Amino acid sequence: MDLGISGRKAIVCASSRGLGLACATSLAREGVEVWINGRDAGRLDEAAARIAAATGAQVHRVVGDMSLAEGRAAVLAACPDPDILVNNNHGPRSGRLADLEPADWEAAVAANMIAPIEMMRAVLPGMRARRFGRVVNITSAQVKAPTVDMGLSVAARAGLMAMTKSAQAESVADNVTINNLLPGPFRTDRLMELAKRRSAAEGIDIEEAFARIGRRGPAGRIGDPSEFGDACAFLCAAQAGFISGQHLALDGGAYQGLI
């Protein structure tokens, strides 16, 4: 399917690796002009090379921390009029309620709620004036079914999702959609840390650790980041203008609720 977005401009935040990189790659493959972002210049260069090798596209690179106003300003200065915004950022630490300090909450809200909201505030007026815009926020499948040690992440991301549900009620009339992608277990650096711990604890190799993590869900496997990237690209498609305010879990069928 031709997604109808070739020649569009996209900012993909925190995209030097993992799911952000997957989204940037899928968009570049569709002919979108992509600005990628990360805190490490060397890792960002490697990501740009990987995208070029996979798609033939040359991408723009912007070094900066999206949790900070300075980082967001740098990205917006490089691409002030994006047609597509993919919000992403590093997640906060895990911990039960009794383990969390006020500083933990402040950092989580700054990184996973305020930062993406500020990016939307900056780009939505231009998107609405041009009558095309696609915003995709990468949050977490745990927002629908949190575990006891992930309340910090879930609380901040749920706040973001509530705000986007409200904001899209106005923007969608101008063909500007806002949706949330909720990833379950994907083969990323974050999951690699869990696999390493399981490998050491159970005396198994990394691949078997990944396999055991995957077998906990109905699909019997973990997700490939390219699957996530392609889902993101479709939500950014010209054909996706009637999909807005949705919270799509990519979790291999793990969520057991109806809504």
Side-chain angles (χ1 to χ4, degrees), residues 93-100 105 142 145-154:
R93 72 181 185 89
S94 60
R96 296 169 182 260
L97 179 60
D99 302 326
L100 303 174
W105 290 102
Q142 290 224 4
T147 56
V148 69
D149 62 338
M150 293 299 289
L152 187 59
S153 172
V154 167

Side-chain angles (χ1 to χ4, degrees), residues 5-12 27-28 30-35 57-60 79 82-84:
I5 50 177
S6 180
R8 296 287 187 182
K9 299 177 181 179
I11 292 173
V12 185
L27 288 170
E30 294 299 322
V32 176
E33 186 178 4
V34 176
W35 278 256
Q58 300 299 313
V59 302
H60 309 277
C79 182
D83 304 294
I84 295 166

Side-chain angles (χ1 to χ4, degrees), residues 38 49 83 122 126-127 256:
D83 304 294
M127 289 179 173
Q256 296 181 0

Side-chain angles (χ1 to χ4, degrees), residues 186-234:
F186 279 83
R187 194 181 185 106
T188 62
D189 288 352
R190 193 174 176 99
L191 194 66
M192 175 64 79
E193 294 305 313
L194 175 60
K196 286 179 178 178
R197 291 197 297 270
R198 185 158 191 169
S199 172
E202 300 180 17
I204 56 177
D205 63 27
I206 290 294
E207 291 305 317
E208 177 58 23
F210 274 125
R212 291 186 184 184
I213 293 170
R215 285 197 291 268
R216 295 186 304 189
R221 65 178 179 89
I222 60 174
D224 188 290
S226 66
E227 296 174 291
F228 189 92
D230 289 346
C232 177
F234 179 74

